[in-house]
């Protein structure tokens, strides 16, 4: 297998492990809580502590990869994630479980951005679209197959195996990374911005933790507001600090690049809307329609089928239409299929629901591939680590915000209708709200130049080839016309 296919699969293996783990635990919380003697509500601290750990340590990933080498940091990150997984499986109390999840978060914070950095430094830009298509799939498949897999393992085996299945996957990932990824690192790493890391860590941690808690109903809204407020103040202080330092952990000055800016701002809005789907859809299926977690997971698996179907076509579609045209139109199309979920009722045939999810999954996956690829179209090799860190932080905040907006929309609908229990009817407005937010992202994608990302999509080569073809046809036509005129004179 060539490097253009092998390295994306190595990175995708680690990302699949992380994405699946994050959703599997949600299905199995009741069983885990009963076994270690606590309530599911208390154990939701395990989810929020993981997200908090991610938010705090992601900003350090770029510098760490430059200093110690992306391959080595990636392998160690997978090892740390495995260590946290073993700790989760062996936990006998809430405290032990939360600590293990924090360790997992430390590994996950390095795996995602550093894995993407490995990809960018190992794959030629002309092959980047195909590579990103392979890496994007785990981010979509993991959250979809997580719930049914978690329900199956918890029902027929024991919840401990949810975490232990990460071990062989992680060992394979480490072996493949050390064997096939080149040991590339920066020859002149920048000075570590510790003060900036503290400010960014508090800021991102407060915002991400606050938004995540809002979606779990774990704390009063006043406490959630305080967490988000403290995080916002800290991030404001960080922005002021970043302007005064030459090596910030989060380099917002890179937003002057039009493609990266569109990927960050437009991508945030798009991910916010789509990020609410794995939260809202299982609730609608289980609480609204009365399906079991396993049945619900099998229905929502349609999104993964659509995502898998996209990966072989993404490069061709992007090359045909170009990033700007495709991302602008596809943002609206993807949002339409997200809004279609508002029409689901208990009497809607499951086959129709699955068809909508399969087709919607195709367009969502195509959009994610385009967003993740075009972000690096104008980024030079020396700035890759900063760009991957910025993109990873943006993704984490968007997912947390998506869950919070989805939960807030459902609660607002319940309050307006004066109902206290969840039912199928209260989910429709939430799907419409997040779909509208996703659709707004089209405006940011339209702001990109018409030739945005042509070097990595191959569209420039297609246009040059087309122009050459047109010129050849014109010459041929002129020649034939001259020959006809000569024949007429001779006649």
């Amino acid at each position: 297998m060539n490097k253009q296919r092998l390295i994306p699969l190595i990175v995708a293996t680690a990302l699949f492990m992380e994405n699946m783990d994050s959703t599997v635990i949600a299905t199995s919380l009741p069983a885990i809580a009963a076994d270690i003697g606590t309530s599911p509500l208390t154990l939701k601290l395990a989810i929020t502590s993981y997200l908090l750990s991610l938010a705090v340590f992601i900003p350090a990933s770029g510098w760490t990869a430059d200093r110690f080498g992306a391959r080595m940091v990636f392998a160690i990150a997978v090892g740390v994630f495995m260590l946290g997984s073993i700790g989760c499986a062996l936990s006998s109390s809430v405290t032990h479980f939360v600590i293990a999840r924090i360790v997992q978060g430390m590994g996950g914070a390095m795996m995602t951005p550093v894995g993407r950095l490995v990809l960018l430094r190992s794959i030629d830009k002309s092959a980047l679209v195909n590579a990103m298509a392979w890496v994007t799939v785990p981010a979509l498949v993991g959250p979809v197959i997580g719930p049914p897999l978690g329900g199956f393992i918890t029902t027929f085996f024991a919840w401990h195996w949810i975490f232990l299945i990460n071990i062989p996957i992680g060992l394979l990932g480490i072996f493949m990374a050390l064997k096939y990824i080149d040991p590339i690192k920066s020859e002149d790493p920048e000075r570590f911005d510790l003060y900036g890391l503290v400010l960014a860590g508090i800021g991102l941690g407060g915002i991400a933790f606050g938004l995540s808690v809002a979606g779990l109903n774990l704390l009063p809204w006043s406490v959630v507001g305080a967490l988000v407020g403290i995080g916002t103040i800290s991030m404001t202080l960080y922005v002021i600090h970043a302007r005064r330092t030459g090596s910030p952990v989060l380099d917002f000055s890179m937003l002057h690049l039009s493609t990266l800016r569109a990927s960050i701002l437009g991508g945030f809005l798009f991910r916010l809307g789509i990020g609410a789907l794995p939260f809202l859809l299982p609730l609608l299926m289980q609480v609204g329609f009365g399906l079991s977690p396993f049945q619900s997971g099998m229905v929502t698996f349609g999104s993964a089928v659509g995502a898998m179907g996209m990966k072989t076509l993404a490069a061709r579609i992007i090359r045909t239409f170009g990033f700007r045209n495709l991302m602008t139109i596809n943002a609206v199309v993807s949002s339409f299929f997200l809004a279609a979920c508002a029409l689901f009722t208990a009497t809607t045939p499951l086959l129709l629901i699955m068809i909508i999810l399969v087709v919607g999954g195709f367009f969502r996956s195509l959009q994610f591939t385009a967003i993740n690829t075009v972000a690096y179209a104008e980024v030079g090799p020396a700035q890759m680590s900063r760009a991957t860190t910025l993109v990873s932080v943006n993704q984490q905040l968007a997912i947390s915000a998506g869950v919070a907006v989805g939960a807030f929309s459902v609660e607002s609908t319940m309050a307006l209708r004066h109902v206290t229990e969840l039912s199928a009817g209260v989910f429709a407005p939430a799907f419409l709200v997040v779909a509208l937010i996703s659709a707004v992202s089209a405006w940011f994608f339209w702001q990109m130049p018409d030739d945005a990302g042509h070097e990595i999509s191959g569209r420039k080569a297609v246009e040059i080839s087309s122009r050459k073809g047109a010129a050849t046809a014109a010459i041929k036509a002129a020649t034939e016309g001259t020959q006809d005129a000569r024949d007429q004179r001779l006649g």
Side-chain angles (χ1 to χ4, degrees), residues 75-235:
I76 292 174
V78 175
V80 171
F81 190 86
M82 289 167 51
L83 184 64
S85 297
I86 295 173
C88 288
L90 299 178
S91 296
S92 57
S93 69
V94 177
T95 303
H96 293 161
F97 197 78
V98 169
I99 291 173
R101 288 291 286 171
I102 290 174
V103 173
Q104 271 193 317
M106 292 171 63
M110 295 290 170
M111 274 201 308
T112 302
V114 176
R116 191 174 286 114
L117 183 60
V118 165
L119 190 72
L120 291 166
R121 287 182 172 173
S122 304
I123 304 295
D124 187 78
K125 279 193 174 185
S126 62
L128 197 56
V129 175
N130 270 326
M132 280 296 183
W134 282 92
V135 171
T136 301
V137 170
L140 294 165
V141 174
V144 176
I145 72 168
L149 181 62
F152 179 80
I153 292 175
T154 304
T155 302
F156 297 103
F157 296 95
W159 65 266
H160 308 80
W161 289 101
I162 289 173
F163 301 100
L164 294 178
I165 59 176
N166 288 333
I167 307 308
I169 299 174
L171 288 174
L172 178 63
I174 292 174
F175 170 77
M176 298 289 282
L178 295 178
K179 184 175 178 62
Y180 294 107
I181 295 175
D182 297 329
I184 304 171
K185 64 179 181 180
S186 176
E187 296 180 358
D188 186 25
E190 298 175 333
R191 181 180 61 84
F192 185 56
D193 182 20
L194 179 60
Y195 180 62
L197 178 65
V198 172
L199 286 177
I202 294 174
L204 295 172
I207 295 172
F209 186 76
L211 293 175
S212 302
V213 171
L216 296 173
N217 294 322
L218 195 61
L219 295 173
W221 281 102
S222 58
V223 177
V224 172
L227 286 169
V228 175
I230 292 172
T232 303
I233 292 171
S234 185
M235 280 305 298

Side-chain angles (χ1 to χ4, degrees), residues 105-106 194 264 277 311 377 437 443 472 483 489:
M106 292 171 63
L194 179 60
I264 293 289
L277 187 62
K311 72 179 188 298
I437 293 174
W443 186 84
T472 302
Q483 185 66 43
R489 286 197 303 272

Side-chain angles (χ1 to χ4, degrees), residues 10 50 87 96 197 318 411 415:
I10 295 172
Y50 177 81
H96 293 161
L197 178 65
I318 293 173
E411 291 183 4

Side-chain angles (χ1 to χ4, degrees), residues 286-375:
Q286 295 175 39
V287 179
F289 299 165
L291 301 181
S292 69
F294 184 71
Q295 290 172 321
S296 167
M298 292 307 294
V299 172
T300 56
F301 185 72
S303 294
V305 175
M308 293 294 289
M310 175 282 309
K311 72 179 188 298
T312 58
L313 301 174
R316 190 179 306 170
I317 294 173
I318 293 173
R319 182 167 58 249
T320 301
F321 297 101
F323 278 105
R324 189 183 76 158
N325 296 334
L326 172 71
M327 294 170 72
T328 302
I329 296 172
N330 196 44
V332 178
V333 173
S334 300
S335 301
F336 171 79
F337 281 98
L338 179 57
C341 296
L343 301 176
F344 294 164
T345 66
T347 58
T348 305
L350 290 181
L351 179 60
L352 177 60
I353 293 177
M354 290 193 68
I355 290 174
I356 292 174
L357 292 178
V358 167
V359 179
F362 176 89
F363 289 109
R364 286 191 292 273
S365 184
L366 177 61
Q367 190 75 354
F368 281 133
T369 299
I371 292 172
N372 291 337
T373 307
V374 80

Side-chain angles (χ1 to χ4, degrees), residues 212-268:
S212 302
V213 171
L216 296 173
N217 294 322
L218 195 61
L219 295 173
W221 281 102
S222 58
V223 177
V224 172
L227 286 169
V228 175
I230 292 172
T232 303
I233 292 171
S234 185
M235 280 305 298
T236 303
L237 293 175
Y238 171 76
V239 171
I240 296 172
H241 162 76
R243 292 176 177 175
R244 301 172 180 172
T245 182
S247 55
V249 290
L250 293 175
D251 189 2
F252 294 115
S253 67
M254 295 188 68
L255 293 178
H256 75 277
L257 301 175
S258 61
T259 50
L260 181 61
R261 182 171 62 250
S263 179
I264 293 289
L265 301 179
F268 180 87

Side-chain angles (χ1 to χ4, degrees), residues 431-444:
F431 281 115
L432 294 177
V433 168
V434 295
L436 181 61
I437 293 174
S438 284
V440 172
S441 67
W443 186 84
F444 291 94

